[in-house]
Amino acid sequence: MGRAVRRPSGRREGRASMTRVFISYRADDDSFATVHLDQRLAARFGAGNVFRDSRHLRPGADFEPKLWRNLAGSSVVVAVIGPRWLTGGGTDNRLLRPADFVRRELEFALELRLPIVPLLLGDVAMPAARDLPESLRNLVNHQFRRLHPRNAEATVQQFVDELDDAYGDQPPTRPGTVAVVLASAPPPAGLSNLVRKATADSGLAAALVEQTAVGVHVIQPDGAKAAAMAGDFVRVLTDALHGQPDLGRLRVALHFGDVAPTPDDTVLAARHLANEPLLDDVLRATPGARIALIASDDFYQTAVRPGRHGVDRSAFARVHIAGRDAWVQAPGFPHPRGLHAASEPSAPPVATGVTNNVETVHGDLVMGDKIGHDKNVYRSGR
């Protein structure tokens, strides 16, 4: 961060802000300093834009989805490091435990390449790399700031001003992928665990997996991992289903859009796709298929068309839904069955040296970019 710029205290207090700050702290460290910091940040950026878990999470709530969503939607993470940050109330280094929430928060922030500002309390030294798990050792390279108890009000105000200078009014919009996984019947037990394992086995460490009343949502807040969702995730999930017949057959929708500061609009768009009746047509017409997959055109152009991560774009068929393009696939099959042609494409031009041979196309439908970039358009027929 740049050099601090001093302003009269409260110059921007209470104004509307797009900046979102996530406070990462250990509850049994110096909680008074954390609460004071939260109050000053909330006065500057707005209480709804500063996340401190004990203020935002209601007793008895399933806190993890809200925790990770707020972290993914942050502009900057403040890591409050006091004298008991490593050990809490005990003697063992709690950061060496993979399930430690402070560790998981910072690992997630680093995975998303979010700015992290260590805030040292009093005379506490910056933790040494040898005291951190390998996943957090990059933290020692982050520029820290210090809060002095003897002049806490002044140093907190200066810190808030610096954050405002560096990250003020930066909308934390971040593109990413949402997958909605729906069972053909009420979601069976074990579905969320299967999906969670599929994201882990696909190298999608930052993916958020949320159980819902009708299925599972996967929110991948790293836009660069969209192709891995199209290829690795779908492939691993398909393979895993073949070993668990009790989980039934699934409808999966993939959409690419903003997932921060909130993924709600992108989730809603994916849910609409997952509920399309044509996916049931595909499953009925393809007895061996465990998944009927539909991708929005935004996702197709971003993740499927480039052909990375083993994605075969010729296995997708284009459909029209509410006036917009989408793309359907039956993973493991050369093309999705059960779709009805809405119109016949005009014959593609035959370029010099290119033979217009239908035998090069799987099945009896033209799909993907196999011939002259022309595609048949399909719809449900309902």
Side-chain angles (χ1 to χ4, degrees), residues 155-350:
T155 53
V156 167
Q157 189 61 49
Q158 179 178 337
F159 178 69
V160 171
D161 288 344
E162 287 196 82
L163 281 187
D164 204 349
D165 287 336
Y167 305 105
D169 291 331
Q170 292 184 8
T173 55
R174 183 178 301 109
T177 300
V178 167
V180 171
V181 181
L182 302 182
S184 299
L191 179 60
S192 62
N193 289 336
L194 183 77
V195 172
R196 188 172 285 106
K197 187 176 187 303
T199 62
D201 291 348
S202 305
L204 301 171
L208 311 178
V209 179
E210 302 177 357
Q211 175 78 57
T212 73
V214 294
V216 178
H217 295 166
V218 181
I219 302 167
Q220 173 49 256
D222 186 347
K225 297 293 181 68
M229 290 288 291
D232 302 333
F233 170 71
V234 171
R235 186 163 49 252
V236 170
L237 183 62
T238 303
D239 290 345
L241 279 171
H242 285 295
Q244 300 196 42
D246 56 312
L247 292 180
R249 309 171 82 188
L250 304 179
R251 290 168 286 148
V252 177
L254 294 165
H255 182 48
F256 189 83
D258 284 341
V259 295
T262 170
D264 291 347
D265 290 343
T266 305
V267 169
L268 184 61
R271 286 180 60 181
H272 283 315
L273 288 173
N275 282 306
E276 276 298 319
L278 61 83
L279 296 181
D280 292 326
D281 296 340
V282 171
L283 290 174
R284 278 193 295 268
T286 318
R290 297 300 303 277
I291 292 176
L293 183 145
I294 186 167
S296 69
D297 193 56
D298 291 328
F299 183 85
Y300 179 89
Q301 301 301 334
T302 300
V304 176
R305 190 177 179 86
R308 298 189 297 269
H309 287 263
V311 177
D312 180 9
R313 64 188 182 189
S314 70
F316 286 77
R318 186 171 65 176
V319 299
H320 274 321
I321 296 173
R324 303 192 67 177
D325 286 343
W327 300 82
V328 177
Q329 181 197 31
F333 292 81
H335 67 263
R337 302 171 187 169
L339 300 174
H340 306 285
S343 61
E344 292 294 328
S346 57
V350 180

Side-chain angles (χ1 to χ4, degrees), residues 86 93 96 126-134 137 140:
L86 288 175
N93 186 344
L96 299 182
M126 187 69 181
R130 64 178 179 274
D131 293 326
L132 302 177
E134 185 175 354
R137 286 178 184 168
V140 302

Side-chain angles (χ1 to χ4, degrees), residues 300 313-317 327 366-371 373-375:
Y300 179 89
R313 64 188 182 189
S314 70
F316 286 77
W327 300 82
V366 179
M367 291 170 294
D369 299 314
K370 285 279 187 180
I371 300 179
H373 301 285
D374 287 315
K375 308 175 185 69

